[in-house]
């Protein structure tokens, strides 16, 4: 089964972080009616996008691009309009439409002002976000590292401006199983936050939790214990022992005990976590889902199947309420329940949930995510045991990572 803390790392991320070139950055170019035309349309298109009117926004941004291209197809105004139009497509999941626009804008910026310019960093970050949304994690890491290098050249090594790009990169490294790299990145985040925000700041404690999760996933329990205990100590000192913000650290500590087969200790911490979460505001319910899922896994390991089933079902319900029916953690919960049914030889019910889990994970995570391969592998094993070897082989092949594309020498 998949234990949430071993597979989940908590970062603020995704499309909200995608940046726009500010139209004012090109204000000094506005010396003709044509210059004013593209800037006015760009600003108005962005306004309609923010207001949730994508069709109107697209018309304006396309017109802005046309006027900017009259100044020069490879001009910086054209790059600004390409970026804005790409963001519109990106926001509405038209990834095939957004990618070439981002790439063309990046080529223009690199040619005009250099690959180390802040505008190139913005575009690399936008491309990285696009690739992450598509599950193209290796491509996303490449772009995030390029964006980070540009940002690092602009700030001192301990500047808070580096926190967000480092966090985004660390998440991707973690999801790719690049644990050494993810640990090094998160340690940099922690060092900056501890100095700038303080040891008891929520972001600093979140970073401690993330370091613990990475160590758990890498099987480095001693290191995990050190980081999680530091998080618990800081959280209790800052918020008190019954604050719902403490729950995440308690769940991760329980996962360490579970990995050490200290199940009584793990169960006690998870029950404490559930009791705290049940009294919390709805915004804290994600932690409740984690605690329920992991307590269910302990009951499953002890063959307490009815208790495990009820806990898994409640965990899935909470995740769906918090994040929506298509959230990857709902897929993880469905997989865990499918595994429980498989263990009880309830194969028809298990297959239904395996299929639902795969559908969610394929749509949201992409083929490089290890969760997808684990779910597909477990489902294939069940099909093989049922004498459905050809189906199992097709499933394994469909979940295998694609070989890297060879470029032209």
């Amino acid at each position: 089964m998949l234990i949430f803390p071993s597979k989940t790392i908590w970062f603020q991320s995704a499309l909200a972080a995608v940046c726009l070139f500010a139209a004012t950055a090109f204000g000094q170019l506005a010396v003709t009616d044509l210059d004013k035309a593209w800037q006015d349309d760009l600003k108005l298109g962005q306004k309609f996008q923010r207001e949730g009117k994508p069709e109107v926004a697209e018309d304006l941004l396309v017109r802005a691009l046309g006027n900017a291209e009259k100044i020069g197809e490879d001009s910086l105004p054209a790059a600004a309009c390409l970026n804005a139009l790409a963001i519109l497509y990106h926001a509405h999941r038209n990834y095939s439409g957004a990618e070439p626009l981002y790439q063309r804008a990046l080529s223009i910026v690199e040619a005009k002002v250099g690959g180390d310019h802040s505008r190139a960093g913005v575009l690399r970050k936008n491309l990285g976000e696009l690739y992450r949304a598509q599950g193209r994690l290796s491509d996303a890491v490449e772009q995030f590292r390029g964006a980070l290098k540009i940002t690092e050249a602009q700030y001192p090594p301990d500047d808070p401006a580096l926190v967000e790009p480092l966090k985004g990169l660390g998440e991707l490294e973690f999801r790719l199983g690049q644990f050494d790299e993810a640990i090094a990145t998160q340690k940099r985040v922690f060092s900056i936050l501890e100095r700038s925000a303080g040891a008891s700041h929520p972001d600093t404690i979140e970073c401690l939790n993330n370091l613990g999760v990475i160590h758990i996933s890498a099987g480095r329990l001693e290191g995990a214990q050190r980081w999680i205990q530091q998080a618990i100590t800081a959280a209790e000192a800052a918020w008190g022992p019954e604050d719902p913000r403490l729950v995440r650290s308690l769940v991760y500590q329980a996962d360490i005990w579970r990995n050490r087969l200290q199940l009584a200790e793990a169960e006690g911490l998870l029950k404490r976590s559930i009791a705290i979460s049940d009294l919390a505001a709805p915004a804290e319910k994600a932690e409740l889902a984690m605690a329920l899922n992991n307590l269910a896994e302990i009951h499953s390991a002890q063959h307490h199947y009815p208790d495990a089933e009820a806990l898994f079902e409640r965990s899935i319900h909470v995740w769906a309420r918090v994040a929506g029916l298509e959230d990857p953690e709902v897929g993880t919960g469905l997989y865990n329940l499918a595994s429980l049914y498989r263990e009880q030889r309830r194969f028809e019910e298990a297959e239904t949930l395996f299929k639902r889990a795969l559908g969610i994970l394929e749509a949201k995570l992409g083929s490089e995510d290890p969760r997808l391969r684990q779910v597909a592998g477990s489902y294939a094993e069940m099909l093989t045991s049922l004498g459905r070897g050809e189906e199992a082989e097709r499933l394994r092949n469909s979940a295998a990572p694609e070989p890297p594309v060879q470029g032209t020498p």
Side-chain angles (χ1 to χ4, degrees):
M1 295 182 186
L2 294 175
I3 305 301
F4 282 130
S6 299
K7 296 294 177 183
T8 304
I9 194 162
W10 297 82
F11 293 95
Q12 298 300 318
S13 62
L15 193 56
V18 176
C19 298
L20 283 166
F21 287 146
T24 53
F26 301 89
Q28 71 275 17
L29 301 176
V31 294
T32 69
D33 289 342
L34 190 59
D35 293 313
K36 187 175 185 301
W38 75 260
Q39 291 190 50
D40 287 348
D41 283 341
L42 175 61
K43 291 176 183 177
L44 196 55
Q46 292 168 352
K47 175 179 178 291
F48 280 115
Q49 181 180 354
R50 290 191 298 270
E51 293 175 354
K53 300 174 181 177
E55 295 85 0
V56 180
E58 182 179 14
D59 288 342
L60 286 162
L61 294 174
V62 168
R63 192 168 72 186
L65 176 59
N67 284 324
E69 287 178 328
K70 291 175 184 176
I71 297 171
E73 290 189 358
D74 295 329
S75 65
L76 288 175
C81 295
L82 286 163
N83 182 62
L85 187 58
I87 288 173
L88 176 67
Y89 293 157
H90 186 166
H92 292 275
R93 300 189 180 186
N94 179 4
Y95 301 138
S96 61
E99 183 176 1
L101 300 181
Y102 281 142
Q103 290 174 335
R104 184 180 158 202
L106 179 60
S107 296
I108 293 171
V109 167
E110 288 177 334
K112 292 294 184 181
V113 294
D116 58 350
H117 195 279
S118 60
R119 294 173 188 166
V122 167
L123 282 160
R124 287 196 176 278
K125 182 172 179 293
N126 291 357
L127 267 171
E129 294 286 0
L130 181 76
Y131 293 146
R132 172 163 56 182
Q134 294 175 286
R136 296 165 57 183
L137 303 186
S138 297
D139 291 335
V141 163
E142 179 183 353
Q143 295 300 331
F144 270 75
R145 285 177 178 158
L148 176 62
K149 184 177 178 180
I150 294 169
T151 305
E152 286 176 322
Q154 300 169 351
Y155 296 96
D158 59 349
D159 195 284
L162 297 174
V163 167
E164 290 306 316
L166 284 167
K167 286 171 66 176
L169 176 60
E171 178 197 6
L172 291 167
E173 290 169 338
F174 172 79
R175 287 178 61 185
L176 283 168
Q178 298 174 357
F179 298 128
D180 290 337
E181 293 87 344
I183 288 169
T185 300
Q186 281 300 298
K187 283 183 176 179
R188 286 188 63 189
V189 174
F190 174 69
S191 177
I192 295 171
L193 288 173
E194 188 177 38
R195 238 187 329 266
S196 63
S200 62
H201 192 278
D203 290 346
T204 310
I205 295 171
E206 176 191 46
C207 187
L208 290 168
N209 283 325
N210 287 342
L211 277 162
V213 172
I214 299 168
H215 280 80
I216 292 171
S217 297
R220 305 172 190 176
L221 298 184
E222 292 302 321
Q225 175 64 38
R226 178 166 65 88
W227 293 109
I228 295 301
Q229 186 55 57
Q230 194 173 342
I232 291 172
T233 300
E236 287 183 331
W239 308 320
E242 302 302 320
D243 191 283
R245 289 171 290 183
L246 177 64
V247 168
R248 189 170 296 169
S249 301
L250 296 176
V251 172
Y252 295 160
Q253 177 65 70
D255 201 31
I256 296 171
W257 294 137
R258 184 195 62 81
N259 276 280
R260 289 174 169 168
L261 300 181
Q262 296 175 259
L263 299 185
E265 291 88 342
E267 185 172 349
L269 278 178
L270 291 171
K271 287 180 176 178
R272 178 186 169 191
S273 301
I274 292 168
I276 294 172
S277 296
D278 278 337
L279 298 175
E284 305 296 338
K285 294 301 185 181
E287 288 78 6
L288 172 60
M290 293 164 57
L292 290 165
N293 178 87
N294 294 358
L295 183 58
E297 201 281 335
I298 291 174
H299 282 301
S300 176
Q302 297 170 329
H303 305 295
H304 300 160
Y305 295 130
D307 291 337
E309 182 174 356
L311 288 164
F312 277 137
E313 287 177 343
R314 187 181 172 202
S315 173
I316 294 166
H317 176 74
V318 172
W319 267 119
R321 191 172 68 242
V322 169
L325 288 170
E326 301 304 312
D327 187 78
E329 303 307 347
V330 173
T332 297
L334 291 168
Y335 164 67
N336 287 346
L337 184 56
S339 298
L340 181 73
Y341 288 156
R342 177 189 172 192
E343 195 170 334
Q344 298 174 80
R345 303 184 66 81
R346 294 163 64 179
F347 297 125
E348 186 174 343
E349 293 166 281
E351 182 166 9
T352 297
L353 295 187
F354 274 130
K355 288 179 177 178
R356 284 180 59 194
L358 279 175
I360 292 171
L361 296 178
E362 285 175 340
K364 296 296 183 180
L365 300 180
S367 61
E368 291 186 81
D369 194 281
R371 274 185 283 184
L372 178 64
R373 296 196 291 274
Q374 182 170 343
V375 173
S378 182
Y379 181 22
E381 286 176 5
M382 187 184 81
L383 292 175
T384 300
S385 71
L386 294 173
R388 296 161 62 182
E390 290 186 6
E391 291 179 63
E393 188 62 25
R394 285 196 299 271
L395 182 61
R396 290 190 183 96
N397 291 337
S398 68
E402 294 183 2
V405 176
Q406 299 297 316
T408 303

